[in-house]
Every structure is written in structure tokens, then in C-alpha cells.
Amino acid sequence: PYYAPFNCHLVAKWGSSTNYQAVWESDAPVNFVDGTTGYFTILVAHDDTSYIVGRRVNQGQMLGQTGTYGIATGDHVHIEAKKGNYEGLVTNQQGNSMLKNSTHLYDLMGIDDTLILVSGGYNWIDYGTTPTPTPSPDTTPLSDNSVT
């Protein structure tokens, strides 16, 4: 499974049980590793969930299941991210849907106890040696369809 990095709600989803994709947006502005603050949108692929658009999930609660769809050697999840609210999708040269104005995860998020096996040459910020940023306040009330 993979878990919500912040309080969020499901803004879009599509696909099938073998290639499911979902877009989650933060309920409130969050702190990014570059020191800026704003809304955070992530697209995740490979889970098979029955969540409906509008579903709210608290930070640390399960968003979905990893999978082996695509060219993969093991269980994983694809994650795309962007600063700001969901603005729709674009199609890349390979025919894959991507978040419009997406940013690489290492520009937005850090890691704590996660072992990155293939870094792709990216400079991940490791909070094991860097002070953890102050959590963003969130006073957004949960809706009736929230996970408890």
C-alpha cells in the first residue's frame, strides 16, 4: 500500500483494475522542500480502488495499493506531482497521461526512512540528516465520505 503525504481529496480517476489512475489534491497549502508553500496535486497509478471523486483522506491513511502493471520488475506505484491545484492532463510522446505542469517529486518532497534503489540521478533530500519541515496547519473539516 501507499499512504497520503497530506490531508487530501480525490479530484479525478480513470482506468481499470489493471491500470487505475487517481489524482489527489491537498486540502490546504503544504510546505515544499524548496521552502515555498502551496497546494499539492499528485497522480498515482497502479492501484485498484473503489474510492469516489470527492473522497477525503487524512495524512498517513492509505490511498491505494501498489501493483505490477507496465514495464516493471516488481511491485511499485507511479507518482507524478505538481505545485498547485489540478489543471487537467496532457499526453506525452509515449501516449501516457501526465499532470499538466507536473514537477519531478525530488523538487517537491523529501524522504525519511525510504531506501531509494534507483535514484535516476536525482538529489533526494533525506530528512534523516536534514531537519524535518514544520507541518502545514490543516483545519479543513472532513466530509461525510471521509476515511476515519
Side-chain angles (χ1 to χ4, degrees):
Y2 53 92
Y3 302 92
F6 39 72
N7 291 354
C8 56
H9 58 282
L10 184 63
V11 295
K13 71 174 191 172
W14 62 94
S16 66
S17 63
T18 59
N19 183 18
Y20 183 83
Q21 297 184 36
V23 179
W24 296 88
E25 186 177 286
S26 65
D27 289 339
V30 300
N31 298 319
F32 296 106
V33 296
D34 66 2
T36 62
T37 302
Y39 286 89
F40 197 150
T41 301
I42 57 173
L43 180 150
V44 291
H46 292 298
D47 70 296
D48 177 17
T49 182
S50 59
Y51 290 170
I52 59 170
V53 171
R55 173 80 176 229
R56 293 192 182 276
V57 176
N58 289 326
Q59 181 179 15
Q61 291 181 306
M62 190 173 79
L63 284 183
Q65 296 289 335
T66 57
T68 57
Y69 180 80
I71 302 171
T73 58
D75 202 38
H76 68 290
V77 62
H78 288 277
I79 303 173
E80 289 191 30
K82 72 176 293 292
K83 285 184 180 182
N85 300 100
Y86 178 59
E87 300 175 282
L89 303 169
V90 295
T91 303
N92 68 12
Q93 293 176 341
Q94 292 78 32
N96 298 316
S97 296
M98 300 176 62
L99 288 174
K100 185 176 182 180
N101 299 318
S102 63
T103 303
H104 195 280
L105 287 174
Y106 74 84
D107 287 330
L108 304 176
M109 302 173 77
I111 59 170
D112 51 16
D113 60 354
T114 302
L115 175 62
I116 302 292
L117 296 178
V118 180
S119 71
Y122 300 120
N123 186 24
W124 287 93
I125 295 174
D126 183 347
Y127 288 109
T129 58
T130 306
T132 302
T134 304
S136 299
D138 183 15
T139 57
T140 307
L142 296 175
S143 67
D144 291 337
N145 63 350
S146 64
V147 173
T148 56

